[in-house]
Amino acid sequence: MRVLIAEHDHARYAALLRAAAPELEILTSGDSAELARQAPRCPVWLGQPDLLASLLRQGHQPRWLQSTWAGITPLLADGLPRDYRLTRAVGIFGQVMAEYMLTYMLGHEREVLSRLVSQVERRWDDRPGRTLEGRRVLIVGTGDIGQRVAEFLQPFGVVLYGVASNAREQAPFVEVAALADLPRMVGQVDYVLNLLPDTPATHDLYNAALFKCFQPTALFINAGRGAAVVDADLVAALKEGHLAGAVIDVCRQEPLPRQHPFWTAWGLLLTGHSSAPTSPAAMVRLFVENMRAYEAGQGLRGEVDFARGY
C-alpha cells in the first residue's frame, strides 16, 4: 500500500512509519507542489488537516485519510469532497490534556501567579493554599479526551459533571447533561473545562448570557476550539466579575493578532495552543492499528461522521 504523509514533521513520521510497517511505500515531501504530484498515486493519506485540505482543493482525493489532529475543521470546509473515509486522532491526547488542565487548576487553587507578584514586590505571602478536593468540575465535551481527563481528575477528590450533545449516564460523572442545559450546569461548578469540537452547534456558545450564569469564583479553561467563545463577551465578563478567571489555549485566529483584547484582559492567561500536542510515535501507532483494520475491511478508530462533523 502506498501512503502519502503531509506533515510539517514529515521526516519524523516517515521514519517511524517505515520502522513500524516496512511493507508500506511512503511518499512525502516538505514541498507543497511535490505533495500535489504524489497525491494521485496514494490511496491513503496521513497528515495534518490544513495541508491535506489544500490537496483536496486541487482535486486530489484519497480513499482513506487519517488526520494527525483531534480536530478536523479544515477538512469540513464548504466545497471539499466528503466521499472518502476520514479518521481523526483519538486515544492519544487524554493524559497530556489532563496534565494541562491540572496545571492550571492547581495553579488557580495555589494562586501561583499572585504569589509570583508578591515575590516581585518582595512581600511575604503566607496565605494558606487551597485544595481541589471537593471542587465541582464541569467537563464540556465528554468524548474520548473528556472521558480521559475525568479519569485523571478523579484521584484529586473532585466532583465531576459533564455536558454532551445529549444527556446520558457516563462514569465517573455524577451527571452528564445535554448541551441545552449548559447555563444550568455552569452555575453550579467551580471549574468549566471546554473540550467541545468545532461544529455549528458550538459556535459562539460562550457568550455574555452564559458568562452571567457562571459562579463569580469559577475558572474557565478553553482547550476545545476558539470559535466556541465570543471574545469580547469573555473580556467583559472578566472585567465585570462574572467569573474569577480564564485560561485560553485556542483562539479564533492563531497566532493571536497583537491588537487583540485577550493580551491585556484582566484575569486571562493565554497558553498559545500548547495544551495537547500530537506525539508522532503515538500517532503512528494509531495509524498502523487503523491501517490493519482498513486492510481487513473493519471499523476504524475515530472515524468521522461528516453529517455530525466529528
Side-chain angles (χ1 to χ4, degrees):
M1 184 182 294
R2 193 177 290 127
V3 177
L4 178 73
I5 297 177
E7 262 288 334
H8 288 318
D9 197 6
H10 60 93
R12 172 75 171 145
Y13 276 88
L16 288 166
L17 189 53
R18 287 189 180 104
E23 74 278 11
L24 295 178
E25 181 182 352
I26 298 168
L27 301 183
T28 190
S29 174
D31 178 70
S32 58
E34 180 60 23
L35 284 174
R37 284 190 289 271
Q38 295 169 342
R41 301 170 54 203
C42 300
V44 175
W45 296 359
L46 166 68
Q48 55 192 76
D50 54 348
L51 297 181
L52 295 172
S54 68
L55 295 174
L56 291 173
R57 286 191 192 92
Q58 296 172 55
H60 310 301
Q61 188 175 336
R63 289 201 288 270
W64 165 42
L65 187 161
Q66 172 69 64
S67 165
T68 56
W69 299 355
I72 38 83
T73 301
L75 298 169
L76 302 178
D78 291 341
L80 291 184
R82 299 188 174 195
D83 52 345
Y84 63 93
R85 297 182 78 178
L86 171 62
T87 49
R88 59 188 186 88
V90 296
I92 65 173
F93 298 111
Q95 177 165 341
V96 68
M97 183 62 83
E99 290 171 354
Y100 171 85
M101 293 298 184
L102 277 166
T103 295
Y104 296 102
M105 293 169 71
L106 289 168
H108 180 63
E109 293 294 341
R110 293 290 172 165
E111 301 178 279
V112 171
L113 293 180
S114 64
R115 290 181 197 276
L116 180 59
V117 172
S118 297
Q119 181 177 338
V120 169
E121 296 175 348
R122 303 193 179 203
R123 176 168 44 84
W124 185 251
D125 192 341
D126 59 354
R127 289 170 296 165
R130 303 188 305 255
T131 178
L132 282 177
E133 184 176 9
R135 296 298 191 203
R136 293 158 298 174
V137 179
L138 176 65
I139 298 178
V140 187
T142 60
D144 170 62
I145 297 175
Q147 174 70 26
R148 291 293 288 152
V149 169
E151 291 166 0
F152 273 95
L153 290 178
Q154 252 193 309
F156 289 84
V158 300
V159 184
L160 290 160
Y161 298 90
V163 164
S165 52
N166 297 295
R168 61 193 186 212
E169 290 189 9
Q170 182 178 340
F173 298 95
V174 172
E175 177 187 0
V176 175
L179 197 57
D181 291 321
L182 188 58
R184 171 177 66 87
M185 299 301 287
V186 300
Q188 60 189 42
V189 296
D190 304 295
Y191 291 90
V192 177
L193 315 182
N194 183 61
L195 290 169
L196 288 172
D198 184 6
T199 70
T202 65
H203 285 188
D204 300 334
L205 194 62
Y206 294 89
N207 57 21
L210 185 63
F211 286 127
K212 287 178 181 176
C213 298
F214 275 58
Q215 293 202 80
T217 54
L219 182 71
F220 172 56
I221 306 180
N222 185 22
R225 289 293 174 263
V229 177
V230 179
D231 295 355
D233 289 0
L234 173 57
V235 172
L238 288 166
K239 187 176 181 180
E240 293 163 10
H242 293 306
L243 63 162
V247 180
I248 301 297
D249 190 58
V250 288
C251 301
R252 288 173 181 265
Q253 185 179 347
E254 298 180 3
L256 198 66
R258 290 180 63 85
Q259 70 277 14
H260 196 283
F262 277 1
W263 290 112
T264 55
W266 180 91
L268 189 150
L269 178 65
L270 290 166
T271 62
H273 209 145
S274 63
S275 60
T278 302
S279 160
M283 187 64 242
V284 166
R285 287 194 297 271
L286 172 63
F287 175 73
V288 171
E289 177 188 332
N290 263 349
M291 184 191 66
R292 305 297 184 210
Y294 177 77
E295 292 174 327
Q298 300 170 346
L300 305 179
R301 289 188 66 192
E303 186 150 10
V304 172
D305 178 342
F306 280 105
R308 292 191 309 171
Y310 58 93

